[in-house]
């Protein structure tokens, strides 16, 4: 089975800036620098055939690129305990529009809808039972923080491999926005990276 999600990869300089926010905090699992991303849609475990259908359907999404900006922090809590600390994405109608297009594309191949409202964020750290006031102190120490505007020229179908020492995300397909692969700022980066070999037997054919 393939654990999939659709996300925006972030430029190197933005990931480096996010990585600089990492500090000592008991029980925190900080996201590795190479892993920072903005999830548009979590898909979950699917077989190879469904993965092919998903990859093909996503290829039909045609949207323009846009800029994004990070500003400040937020957290997800359950039962008074913080579970995740994230960097906030400044509201973007272009981003919301792309996310809806991807939702619609995935409806067509029978991926179950996410019931929660889309809340764009970049997860920085996950916690086991962190008290809210300690996380708020951490946020104060790290503030102010902002990054961008930076260009988003593609979205990515990632495959996630969960390991004991943290997840590895592998781009299975990179979909250029604007419909022009050569205007995409991340395309060459992925293609040239030895770790991300698009030619291997797991790669999804684009057609
Ligand atoms: P780990 O599970 O080891 O903490 P992770 O959450 O980063 O690592 P995945 O669980 O594969 O790795 O998730 C990949 C992406 O999808 C992450 O951005 C994660 O927040 C998001 N995600 C995972 N599960 C869900 C879910 N049930 N609903 C919405 N988003 C999810
Ligand atoms: Mg997870």
């Amino acid at each position: 089975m393939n654990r999939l999600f659709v996300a925006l990869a972030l430029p190197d300089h933005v990931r480096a800036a996010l990585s600089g926010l990492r500090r000592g905090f008991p029980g925190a699992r900080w996201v590795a620098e190479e892993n920072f991303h903005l999830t548009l849609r979590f898909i979950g475990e699917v077989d190879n055939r469904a993965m092919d259908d998903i990859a093909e359907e996503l290829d039909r999404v045609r949207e323009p690129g846009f800029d994004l900006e990070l500003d400040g922090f937020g957290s997800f809590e359950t039962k008074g305990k913080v579970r995740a600390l994230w960097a906030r994405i400044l509201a973007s109608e272009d981003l919301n529009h792309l996310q809806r297009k991807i939702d619609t594309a995935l409806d067509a191949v029978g991926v179950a809808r996410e019931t929660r409202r889309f809340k764009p964020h970049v997860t920085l750290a996950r916690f086991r039972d962190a008290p809210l006031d300690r996380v708020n102190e951490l946020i104060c120490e790290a503030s102010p923080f902002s990054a961008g505007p930076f260009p988003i020229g593609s979205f990515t179908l990632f495959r996630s491999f969960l390991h004991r020492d943290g997840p590895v995300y592998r781009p299975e397909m990179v979909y250029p926005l604007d419909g022009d692969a050569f205007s995409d700022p991340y395309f060459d980066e992925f293609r040239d990276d030895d770790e991300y070999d698009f030619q291997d037997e797991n790669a999804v054919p684009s057609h």
Side-chain angles (χ1 to χ4, degrees):
M1 293 294 263
N2 312 287
R3 184 179 179 89
L4 302 180
F5 64 103
V6 181
L8 300 179
L10 301 173
D12 288 354
H13 71 277
V14 173
R15 285 188 287 103
L18 292 169
S19 199
L21 297 166
R22 173 188 282 266
R23 19 181 69 58
F25 192 97
R29 280 193 296 130
W30 293 90
V31 173
E33 182 168 336
E34 66 271 21
N35 280 354
F36 290 120
H37 65 277
L38 193 171
T39 299
L40 297 171
R41 177 68 183 273
F42 181 70
I43 296 170
E45 307 272 342
V46 302
D47 62 19
N48 289 342
R49 196 196 162 108
M51 182 161 85
D52 286 351
D53 291 346
I54 287 165
E56 207 170 299
E57 201 58 38
L58 289 173
D59 200 28
R60 289 191 231 282
V61 174
R62 291 279 175 275
E63 292 298 324
F66 51 88
D67 284 353
L68 283 181
E69 223 169 321
L70 292 171
D71 187 29
F73 304 98
S75 62
F76 288 136
E77 295 149 43
T78 46
K79 298 177 193 149
K81 299 289 187 184
V82 181
R83 308 294 171 186
L85 169 69
W86 38 264
R88 190 181 303 280
I89 306 285
L90 276 194
S92 160
E93 221 11 81
D94 293 326
L95 173 65
N96 291 339
H97 184 72
L98 175 63
Q99 199 277 335
R100 285 195 297 270
K101 282 288 168 109
I102 287 169
D103 261 353
T104 307
L106 293 176
D107 285 346
V109 283
V111 176
R113 274 261 174 160
E114 167 67 76
T115 50
R116 291 173 298 186
R117 199 169 64 85
F118 176 55
K119 186 157 191 187
H121 64 277
V122 178
T123 299
L124 302 173
R126 294 191 174 81
F127 307 93
R128 174 189 291 249
D129 289 353
L132 186 55
D133 52 351
R134 280 291 294 114
V135 174
N136 282 337
E137 279 171 32
L138 172 68
I139 288 175
C140 283
E141 278 171 32
S143 296
F145 174 78
S146 65
F150 50 87
I152 296 295
S154 64
F155 67 94
T156 304
L157 176 62
F158 281 101
R159 187 163 168 200
S160 172
F161 299 86
L162 300 180
H163 299 299
R164 196 182 293 271
D165 52 353
V168 172
Y169 305 141
R170 187 174 80 184
E172 287 294 330
M173 292 298 290
V174 178
Y175 300 95
L177 296 167
D178 272 333
D180 176 2
F182 300 102
S183 72
D184 174 58
Y186 310 118
F187 190 80
D188 289 337
E189 180 187 320
F190 282 134
R191 194 179 50 192
D192 291 339
D193 192 334
D194 288 337
E195 253 183 85
Y196 299 137
D197 183 5
F198 279 96
Q199 304 307 312
D200 80 9
E201 75 272 15
N202 293 319
V204 182
S206 59
H207 281 290

